[in-house]
Amino acid sequence: MKLLVCIKQVPDLESRFKPDAAGVWYNETDLAFRMNEYDEYAVEQAVQLREKLGEGTELTVLSIGPDRVVEALKKALAMGCDNAAHIQDPAASGKDPWQIASIIAAYAKDKGFDVIFTGMQSQDRGSAQVGVTIAEQLGLACTTTIVSFDYDNGTITAKRELEGGIKGVVKLKTPALVTCQLGLNVPRYPTLPNIMKAKKKEITAIPVVELLREEALATTASFHPPAKKGGGIVLEGDVSDLVDKVIAILKDKTAVLR
Amino acid sequence: MNFELSQDHKVLQSAVRDFVEKEIKPIAMKIDEDHMIPDSLVTKMSEMGLLGSYLPEEYGGAGLDMLSYAIVVEEVSKACGSSGVLISAHTSLASGPIYTFGTEEQKKKWLPALNTGEKIGCFLLTEPDAGSDAGGTATTYTRDGDHSVINGSKTFITNGGYLGTGVLLASYDRSLKHKGITAFIVDLSSPGVTILKNENKMGIRGSYTTAFAFDNLRVPVENLLGQEGKGFNVAMDTLNGGRIGIASQALGIAEGAFERALAYSKERKQFGQAISEFQAIQFKLADMWTSIETSKLLVYRAAWLKDNKKNYTMESAMCKMHASETATFVTKEAIQIHGGYGYIVDYEVERMYRDAKITEIYEGTNEVQRVVISKLLLS
Ligand SMILES: Cc1cc2nc3c(=O)[nH]c(=O)nc-3n(C[C@H](O)[C@H](O)[C@H](O)COP(=O)(O)OP(=O)(O)OC[C@H]3O[C@@H](n4cnc5c(N)ncnc54)[C@H](O)[C@@H]3O)c2cc1C
């Protein structure tokens, strides 16, 4: 079987965002990037399926973007993907979901992937359109926001999270695409030995011009960084310790408790 | 010249950072309070490959380089200095010399269990009456058939309490001073090994610091590490590499404290403004960060020199000295920025201050580092 997982690298959301020169997206200078959270669930699920199917299964991880996205690809390889495709595009952040999906669809078209995994949405753009649009362009069955996944003999059984915490179960025949949501799994850490092994795995670089056929359908007109938040205290640790800490703070700094 | 980490090093850094954030940071305070790193954490660190970072894959290590190792110890120490030194002593002081000086059989026999964390490693040099002056080693051995029989005592042994695999220095003739010293690989679960005590300490309280007595400990001759009478060289070479680990630990402790101080300075309001608006606090932050960045350059460079098989004796002494003094300075200032809250356990910077001090003492006091550096300058 052939599996594909599509990932995006996004900035750490705790960063201070400033608009870029054109004022249509954020300025990337000084930002730290990491794998989009939902894509981590997608990679983990793809690797689990890869492990379950064993020999004869090939799992490819794909990312579109500048050189820095190779870091995200290397992480996915260290988590257990077999090989990677880096669609080189320094201008990826300016493309709309339609273009991104069409680039991936153009890459995947003749490759015969049985299952494609994507995140539910990206943390920075948040359109939640890329996965479903790829499926549409490739004519695949598709389901979104999955929180559990099972595969057996050509059929995927997935639990979907619906509004208000209700869950629904869907079944779909492969080839299919699923978009992954928080709660699906706990992504593994890339271990040091696997980081080393990943160095020997192949990363194929493909210039985006070879795959891009479509014009943007929706262009971003302007970008607005979030307003500065007031200072707060973030407590961390065991729940029991946290309770003590909250009580201590309430006693200390408020008149609520004495 | 390129001062950026490679993409592979960045992947490693962020993987370790995520691991530390989830698995170590939440329990760092408890590790200090309990004087104990939970076994479950040692297991998780082993599974993550943190205990064999730069040892080759053929011996069960991860096969990465010294810079990766420095990053591992740094990232872990940002949250927990005790866990940082567990990794450092284990890797550079036990696996390190076995890899550097061991025969093929010795490497095959001892390294896999160390690299997977099945055995925790330690280095047994210091004695009650031989600290900075390691040539004064009074633990002796005599030959009895195909065994060496070791008698004496060792003190302040990091990781000793695990009774795993040790690299031990003993003399066959004390009158020869450092020329009579030989290194051995010892299985500390053998008869003849007694733990006198695990010390109660100011800082790195989760780490074992063990005093041992050896009473007719029988070590097979094939466990002799390097050559007879060349143990002092083994020890000095080992400490050279080890200082990069301790410098990384110190760097991490400083960064951990800085992160908290910076955040606190923006949160805490006095006189109607965040204390970070006061120049007195701003200048502290500037000094702290500059020392941290200087230390980082020295540490990464020393690691780079070792990776590139260049001489690094002076650089490892400098990075250890500078990073450790940065750690005590930065943690002290971090408490000051926190005011009274900094003195309270819950804010964690007081622990970091206590953890930082040892980095100026072990693997050669900073006075000894200055001796090493100045000797090389004047030679
Ligand atoms: C928590 C902890 C963990 C440790 N872990 C290990 C371990 O795993 N393995 C191990 O073998 N050892 C370990 N040590 C021992 C440590 O390396 C020694 O404590 C250190 O080398 C100093 O030796 P000492 O304590 O005997 O001090 P001394 O050598 O007695 O030094 C006392 C003072 O005199 C100064 N001094 C000594 N000689 C000179 C000189 N020539 N010039 C100028 N000043 C000098 C020193 O700098 C120091 O300020 C550990 C110690 C501690 C506290």
Side-chain angles (χ1 to χ4, degrees), chain B residues 123 125-126 131-132 156-158 201 209 358 362-363 365 367:
Chain B
F123 180 68
L125 174 65
T126 304
S132 300
F156 296 155
I157 306 307
T158 301
K201 306 186 293 293
T209 304
I358 187 60
Y362 56 18
E363 298 206 20
T365 64
E367 290 74 19

Side-chain angles (χ1 to χ4, degrees), chain B residues 85 89 93 121-134 154-160 167 169 199 201-204 207-210 239 358 360-369 371:
Chain B
V85 75
L93 302 188
C122 65
F123 180 68
L124 303 102
L125 174 65
T126 304
E127 300 181 0
D129 294 322
S132 300
D133 181 12
K154 294 284 173 183
T155 195
F156 296 155
I157 306 307
T158 301
N159 292 347
V167 170
L169 286 300
E199 303 286 354
K201 306 186 293 293
M202 171 183 183
I204 57 163
S207 159
Y208 279 120
T209 304
T210 308
L239 292 173
I358 187 60
E360 293 183 345
I361 298 170
Y362 56 18
E363 298 206 20
T365 64
N366 280 9
E367 290 74 19
V368 168
Q369 307 307 323
V371 170

Side-chain angles (χ1 to χ4, degrees), chain B residues 239-244 247 298 302 312-325 359 363-374 376:
Chain B
L239 292 173
N240 259 350
R243 279 165 196 158
I244 298 177
L298 286 170
Y312 65 96
T313 307
M314 174 130 100
E315 286 75 9
S316 73
M318 290 194 302
C319 77
K320 190 275 190 186
M321 177 182 109
H322 192 76
S324 61
E325 287 169 14
T359 62
E363 298 206 20
T365 64
N366 280 9
E367 290 74 19
V368 168
Q369 307 307 323
R370 286 178 165 86
V371 170
V372 171
I373 296 162
S374 54
L376 285 167

Side-chain angles (χ1 to χ4, degrees), chain A residues 92-104:
Chain A
S93 63
K95 295 200 165 53
D96 75 338
W98 175 258
Q99 285 180 301
I100 295 292
S102 68
I103 292 166
I104 297 171

Side-chain angles (χ1 to χ4, degrees), chain B residues 180-375:
Chain B
I181 298 174
T182 303
F184 296 91
I185 308 171
V186 294
D187 173 356
L188 290 167
S189 63
S190 314
V193 178
T194 310
I195 290 185
L196 298 175
K197 64 173 164 179
N198 290 309
E199 303 286 354
N200 186 359
K201 306 186 293 293
M202 171 183 183
I204 57 163
R205 295 160 75 109
S207 159
Y208 279 120
T209 304
T210 308
F212 284 103
F214 302 102
D215 182 17
N216 289 325
L217 166 63
R218 296 178 67 82
V219 178
V221 283
E222 65 263 22
N223 288 13
L224 198 152
L225 183 62
Q227 289 167 355
E228 186 142 49
K230 296 281 188 201
F232 192 77
N233 298 1
V234 173
M236 291 306 116
D237 181 86
T238 301
L239 292 173
N240 259 350
R243 279 165 196 158
I244 298 177
I246 297 309
S248 308
Q249 184 206 15
L251 172 62
I253 295 171
E255 288 175 294
F258 179 81
E259 201 179 290
R260 285 172 188 275
L262 180 67
Y264 188 83
S265 74
K266 293 192 260 186
E267 272 162 24
R268 175 70 174 173
K269 292 203 171 58
Q270 287 294 287
F271 299 96
Q273 55 186 330
I275 58 168
S276 63
E277 303 287 328
F278 300 122
Q279 196 177 51
I281 302 293
Q282 292 169 351
F283 279 20
K284 280 191 197 302
L285 292 169
D287 289 342
M288 291 157 82
W289 186 243
T290 305
S291 291
I292 287 171
E293 285 291 296
T294 318
S295 302
K296 191 181 285 183
L297 288 171
L298 286 170
V299 176
Y300 286 9
R301 177 152 178 272
W304 179 86
L305 287 169
K306 187 167 193 297
D307 280 330
N308 286 281
K309 313 258 178 307
K310 293 177 195 279
N311 202 334
Y312 65 96
T313 307
M314 174 130 100
E315 286 75 9
S316 73
M318 290 194 302
C319 77
K320 190 275 190 186
M321 177 182 109
H322 192 76
S324 61
E325 287 169 14
T326 293
T328 50
F329 164 69
V330 168
T331 52
K332 180 171 77 91
E333 292 293 72
I335 294 178
Q336 195 67 17
I337 289 175
H338 279 75
Y341 297 95
Y343 204 69
I344 306 302
V345 172
D346 297 354
Y347 288 79
E348 304 204 51
V349 283
E350 66 81 38
R351 180 187 79 243
M352 296 173 175
Y353 181 54
R354 290 186 286 106
D355 285 355
K357 180 60 200 175
I358 187 60
T359 62
E360 293 183 345
I361 298 170
Y362 56 18
E363 298 206 20
T365 64
N366 280 9
E367 290 74 19
V368 168
Q369 307 307 323
R370 286 178 165 86
V371 170
V372 171
I373 296 162
S374 54
K375 242 191 198 155

Side-chain angles (χ1 to χ4, degrees), chain A residues 34 67-68 70-71 74-75 189-193 195-197 199-200 231-233 236-237 245 252-253, chain B residues 7-8 10-12 15-16 18-19 22-23 25 47-50 53 57 62-64 72 267 341 347:
Chain A
R34 56 176 305 136
D67 284 345
R68 62 169 160 74
V70 173
E71 279 161 44
K74 280 174 180 273
K75 177 174 183 183
Y189 303 112
T191 66
L192 269 57
I195 289 172
M196 184 68 196
K197 290 192 187 87
K199 291 190 192 187
K200 292 161 209 148
I233 307 174
E236 290 170 23
K245 281 189 200 168
D252 237 41
K253 305 203 170 158
Chain B
Q7 282 184 320
D8 288 314
K10 284 188 199 166
V11 171
L12 166 101
V16 180
D18 287 349
F19 175 85
K22 293 206 189 74
E23 310 292 345
K25 209 171 173 188
E47 286 166 358
M48 185 69 189
L50 303 186
S53 51
E57 290 171 288
L64 298 166
V72 166
E267 272 162 24
Y341 297 95
Y347 288 79

Side-chain angles (χ1 to χ4, degrees), chain B residues 19-71:
Chain B
F19 175 85
V20 170
E21 199 67 30
K22 293 206 189 74
E23 310 292 345
I24 305 185
K25 209 171 173 188
I27 60 169
M29 203 190 288
K30 190 164 160 43
I31 287 174
D32 179 61
E33 277 166 14
D34 295 354
H35 294 223
M36 184 71 180
I37 299 173
D39 289 345
S40 58
L41 177 57
V42 180
T43 306
K44 282 180 194 166
M45 294 198 295
S46 309
E47 286 166 358
M48 185 69 189
L50 303 186
L51 297 184
S53 51
Y54 72 84
L55 282 304
E57 290 171 288
E58 54 180 314
Y59 306 118
L64 298 166
D65 56 8
M66 200 65 189
L67 180 55
S68 303
Y69 163 69
I71 292 169

